Amino acid sequence: MIRLEVIQGQSKGRVFECAEERITIGRAPTATVVLADYHLSGEHGLLFQEGDSFVYRDLRSTNGSMLLRGQKRILLDGSDHWEAAVQDGDRLLLGDATSPVILLVKIVDSSEAEEQRIIATRSLAELEAVAGKVEKGPEVTALYTAIKHLGGRIELAETLEAVARAVLELVPRATHVSISLSEEKDESRFVPMLARARESSGGEPVMMSRAVLRRVLKDRAAVLAANARDELGSSESIMGAKIRSTIGVPLWRGDKILGVLECDNRASAGIFQERDLDLLLVLCGQAALAIDNALLHQELKLAEEKLRGENRYLKGRQPDVTFDRIVGDSPAMRAVFTQLEKVIDTRATVCIMGETGTGKELVANAIHHGSKRREKMFVAQNCAALPENLLESELFGHKKGSFTGADHDKKGLFEIADGGTLFLDEIAEMAMTLQAKLLRVLQEGEVRPVGASKSRIVDVRIICATNKSLEKEVETGRFRQDLFYRLMVFPIQLPPLRERAEDIPLLVQHFLRKYTSEMRKSVGGVSQEALNHLCAHGWPGNIRELENEIQRLTIQVEDGEIIRPEHLSPQIRKVESLVERIAPPKGTLKDMMEHLERWLLIQALREHGNNKTQTAAALGITREGLHKKLSKFGIDGKSRE
């Protein structure tokens, strides 16, 4: 058997006792030794027995491994080799070389495991009879006092502490207590949750023995075991000897085991007796109820936080949108719709590019509500709207006490959007450190809240948007190249409004219906002249600018009035003043055309400082042709060549 003690890393203090032939180490939940440190790979390394020795093999991890034996360092990165024999007392340095996870290796003689003998067991069926016997015994007062510690606790951490304190108070010989609980999604896996040592023992907390845990689960009973080679009797010499004994008790939820409590006497003389086993069996009946209530309270808190987050985003988000509700019939938009139909029901990450105000979030919303994820949440976050530390907490969540002001656990947007879609707007504005964490989520499908030691698996589709060129951001070093390739699986370019002017009349009518309904106001419509001005405007703010203009017009015009050019904003009406300035006097078509041509020649000369060569080039005619036209219209353009 091999024992691994974490002496540096997020799981510092944990001890893993492994009797398996192949022991995998990494972040993956399926690993034998699960370590949540972000710089480890999912399957980082493998320990296996080869003859009488153990061998460690690095599984071609991202950040590598090192074996430290005294002052000797053996690098396992493939340059020389990937594996090395492991000896008792060696240290394994895993992951980031500047701050690695360090495991102390202890190789336990298999005979030690065989020494442990079962003295007594108590099944769940015996609980009632045992409780009746304890109630009539002298320890009933001590049991009652210990159980009182469990009252009034609703937080899981406080409840586990109270259980450990009750055990140490009830069983004077006990020096160490540990508690493991089953995982929510896999009840066959038990996670160490607490380890405590009696202060007077002077020892360090020790995690649960895997051998005792396996025996409790196998027999589905409380067990009392001791590590004596010979059969144990009840003589005073044996009872006074310093023999290590252990009690393991299941914590029952109905007929299922929600956890296991273990205590031992490694720092005191004398082994446990059967009455200690009986007392702990009865105590754990109450402890299981208290822990189950604390777990339920924890689940309710998490559900409440998730609902609070969902409500916050439900109140502020746009209404559900599908493609048939997106206004646009221009060739440019039809091409976009064709692209979207191909990607809508895939898991591919979509990157929507376009100028500000082109409707990127609207398109992302439509992708979500047209896909199979429509029953789950669509959550949007502007990456430029929050500073880096707040954005990290918003995306990944945080644990209570992880930073100043973190007075409660908070669900991140990734967990709120679990099963749905997360839309990250202005992705180019995300800080480089957060880009690395986002990349990890995309690669591993796991998020870890700020201040948490464990990651959580999430199923979220990412849609991002930017009004910048991510290629240029990569070239300038402001955006990670590896993240760029992860996000640009399916890029979509939204056209600016000036390139889809055919859609402006449709959009005007759409927004007019929206705001007249919202304001309960009747507008007679838009005059053709005003519509011409709207179509002629360049709309640098795109659809958002057009929507704001229609909203302002709806407010401004009287009930039932038709929108006319004089109602339009000055920047849109400037086209009108230009038309008035160049409007030719009424006459024959030839006279009016010559008037316009003369005005255009004068403007061109003025724009080029009367430089005839530049003016001719701008107008697309020869210098001689320009001279003829100037002479024809009597324009005396003084040259500045």
Side-chain angles (χ1 to χ4, degrees):
M1 187 171 67
I2 198 163
R3 183 180 294 129
L4 301 173
E5 180 182 351
V6 184
I7 59 176
Q8 179 172 300
Q10 286 189 23
S11 302
K12 182 179 178 181
R14 288 187 61 182
V15 176
F16 299 89
E17 292 184 347
C18 310
E20 293 87 343
E21 293 182 359
R22 295 171 61 84
I23 304 162
T24 54
I25 304 172
R27 286 189 297 106
T30 54
T32 313
V33 177
V34 180
L35 301 172
D37 302 75
Y38 74 93
H39 51 88
L40 299 187
S41 298
E43 293 183 347
H44 197 96
L46 171 68
L47 275 165
F48 59 95
Q49 196 161 5
E50 198 172 73
D52 294 331
S53 355
F54 281 92
V55 176
Y56 175 80
R57 176 184 296 159
D58 185 278
L59 298 177
R60 302 181 185 271
S61 62
T62 303
N63 293 316
S65 307
M66 182 184 293
L67 183 67
L68 185 61
R69 182 174 299 151
Q71 298 300 315
K72 183 179 179 182
R73 294 173 178 265
I74 304 172
L75 192 62
L76 306 175
D77 63 353
S79 53
D80 293 322
H81 37 245
W82 289 103
E83 63 182 46
V86 178
Q87 298 178 10
D88 185 53
D90 285 351
R91 299 189 179 201
L92 289 172
L93 282 63
L94 312 179
D96 185 358
T98 60
S99 182
V101 174
I102 302 178
L103 302 179
L104 175 62
V105 180
K106 295 292 292 181
I107 298 176
V108 183
D109 189 346
S110 59
S111 62
E112 290 185 28
E114 294 172 358
E115 287 178 9
Q116 196 169 70
R117 294 182 179 275
I118 302 300
I119 300 172
T121 64
R122 297 288 188 272
S123 66
L124 179 61
E126 297 176 79
L127 176 58
E128 187 175 347
V130 169
K133 184 174 69 173
V134 169
E135 287 175 2
K136 297 175 183 177
E139 295 92 352
V140 65
T141 303
L143 177 62
Y144 175 73
T145 303
I147 289 175
K148 284 201 302 184
H149 287 299
L150 309 181
R153 303 291 195 281
I154 58 173
E155 296 292 341
L156 180 60
E158 294 178 358
T159 303
L160 295 176
E161 289 283 357
V163 171
R165 187 161 62 252
V167 170
L168 294 173
E169 184 175 305
L170 186 61
V171 184
R173 284 195 180 91
T175 59
H176 294 77
V177 180
S178 61
I179 301 173
S180 293
L181 298 179
S182 63
E183 285 192 345
E184 178 184 351
K185 294 184 177 180
D186 184 359
E187 294 183 352
S188 64
R189 291 182 63 87
F190 284 75
V191 180
M193 299 295 293
L194 176 137
R196 293 292 179 267
R198 191 184 294 276
E199 291 182 8
S200 60
S201 70
E204 293 293 325
V206 178
M207 298 309 297
M208 183 174 296
S209 163
R210 290 176 65 89
V212 172
L213 174 64
R214 285 195 296 268
R215 186 60 185 260
V216 169
L217 297 177
K218 177 184 176 183
D219 294 350
R220 298 178 64 79
V223 299
L224 168 57
N227 63 335
R229 290 184 181 275
D230 302 320
E231 292 290 345
L232 292 171
S234 57
S235 67
E236 291 298 322
S237 60
I238 293 179
M239 298 305 295
K242 195 170 182 180
I243 299 173
R244 177 182 167 186
S245 56
T246 305
I247 294 177
V249 185
L251 300 166
W252 293 96
R253 175 193 284 154
D255 59 350
K256 293 183 179 179
I257 298 177
L258 70 86
V260 175
L261 180 144
E262 179 183 314
C263 68
D264 65 42
N265 71 326
R266 68 183 63 206
S268 70
I271 67 172
F272 292 130
Q273 300 179 34
E274 288 194 40
R275 67 171 179 270
D276 296 320
L277 179 64
D278 293 342
L279 286 171
L280 289 183
L281 183 66
V282 177
L283 174 67
C284 284
Q286 297 299 314
L289 181 60
I291 292 172
D292 202 22
N293 288 337
L295 288 170
L296 178 59
H297 173 72
Q298 181 173 274
E299 290 175 10
L300 289 173
K301 277 184 65 178
L302 293 174
E304 181 185 9
E305 175 58 34
K306 183 173 182 179
L307 284 173
R308 187 159 57 238
E310 289 180 356
N311 288 336
R312 183 168 68 249
Y313 287 96
L314 282 170
K315 289 177 182 177
R317 75 173 188 172
Q318 294 180 345
D320 298 350
V321 175
T322 51
F323 291 128
D324 57 356
R325 293 180 60 187
I326 296 179
V327 179
D329 195 38
S330 61
M333 285 305 295
R334 286 201 297 269
V336 170
F337 293 147
T338 301
Q339 278 188 293
L340 293 174
E341 287 171 359
K342 296 176 181 177
V343 77
I344 188 170
D345 250 337
T346 68
R347 292 178 56 88
T349 302
V350 178
C351 184
I352 306 172
M353 300 172 290
E355 296 178 7
T356 299
T358 50
K360 297 187 286 292
E361 183 171 348
L362 194 72
V363 171
N365 197 328
I367 292 174
H368 170 77
H369 287 100
S371 73
K372 296 175 182 176
R373 295 174 176 260
R374 66 179 70 90
E375 299 301 324
K376 298 293 184 178
M377 288 286 293
F378 172 78
V379 179
Q381 175 62 47
N382 189 322
C383 298
L386 294 173
E388 178 183 349
N389 58 335
L390 293 182
L391 181 59
E392 180 180 8
S393 172
E394 194 72 11
L395 292 177
F396 305 113
H398 64 249
K399 302 296 288 183
K400 179 181 178 181
S402 57
F403 55 86
T404 303
D407 55 359
H408 64 280
D409 289 354
K410 176 183 177 181
K411 285 277 186 181
L413 299 188
F414 275 97
E415 291 191 61
I416 291 173
D418 193 12
T421 303
L422 177 59
F423 173 61
L424 299 176
D425 200 3
E426 305 296 350
I427 189 71
E429 305 301 325
M430 182 178 283
M432 293 289 282
T433 51
L434 279 186
Q435 290 179 31
K437 294 182 179 181
L438 175 60
L439 178 64
R440 179 173 175 270
V441 176
L442 293 174
Q443 289 176 332
E444 308 290 343
E446 296 178 349
V447 294
R448 188 171 68 229
V450 178
S453 59
K454 290 179 61 179
S455 298
R456 179 171 178 178
I457 297 174
V458 292
D459 173 22
V460 178
R461 183 182 191 178
I462 299 294
I463 301 177
C464 65
T466 179
N467 58 7
K468 293 183 178 180
S469 169
L470 289 184
E471 291 93 335
K472 291 181 180 178
E473 294 297 301
V474 170
E475 290 172 4
T476 57
R478 290 192 294 266
F479 202 83
R480 293 177 63 103
Q481 188 176 46
D482 46 6
L483 180 59
F484 169 79
Y485 290 121
R486 282 279 181 178
L487 295 177
M488 297 295 282
V489 176
F490 198 91
I492 293 175
Q493 181 74 48
L494 293 186
L497 188 54
R498 61 182 174 275
E499 293 180 9
R500 45 179 291 212
E502 308 98 308
D503 292 331
I504 291 177
L506 296 174
L507 290 165
V508 168
Q509 292 302 317
H510 169 74
F511 291 131
L512 202 57
R513 285 193 300 271
K514 174 182 175 180
Y515 288 111
T516 52
S517 173
E518 184 181 301
M519 300 176 192
R520 298 181 180 179
K521 188 174 184 179
S522 175
V523 175
V526 183
S527 70
Q528 185 60 49
E529 195 174 1
L531 188 60
N532 290 341
H533 289 308
L534 291 169
C535 292
H537 185 53
W539 301 109
N542 293 294
I543 299 172
R544 187 178 296 124
E545 183 187 0
L546 175 61
E547 181 177 5
N548 292 341
E549 176 69 12
I550 300 304
Q551 184 180 21
R552 188 193 64 79
L553 289 169
T554 307
I555 296 170
Q556 179 179 331
V557 299
E558 299 296 332
D559 202 35
E561 189 177 4
I562 294 176
I563 297 174
R564 298 188 299 277
E566 57 266 27
H567 295 130
L568 302 177
S569 300
Q571 69 269 21
I572 298 174
R573 288 204 314 272
K574 68 182 180 181
V575 177
E576 179 185 5
S577 60
L578 174 63
V579 172
E580 289 175 347
R581 283 187 1 237
I582 68 174
K586 290 184 179 181
T588 65
L589 178 61
K590 182 175 180 296
D591 291 339
M592 289 191 289
M593 291 299 294
E594 287 180 350
H595 177 88
L596 291 173
E597 189 175 4
R598 186 178 190 280
W599 186 88
L600 291 171
L601 287 169
I602 293 172
Q603 287 298 115
L605 282 167
R606 186 177 298 159
E607 289 174 6
H608 294 90
N610 286 329
N611 186 310
K612 296 186 183 66
T613 301
Q614 293 178 8
T615 302
L619 294 173
I621 59 177
T622 63
R623 179 183 170 86
E624 290 73 18
L626 177 61
H627 274 295
K628 288 179 181 179
K629 289 184 179 293
L630 295 178
S631 177
K632 173 184 176 182
F633 295 117
I635 301 172
D636 184 18
K638 295 182 179 180
S639 174
R640 293 186 181 180
E641 299 173 79

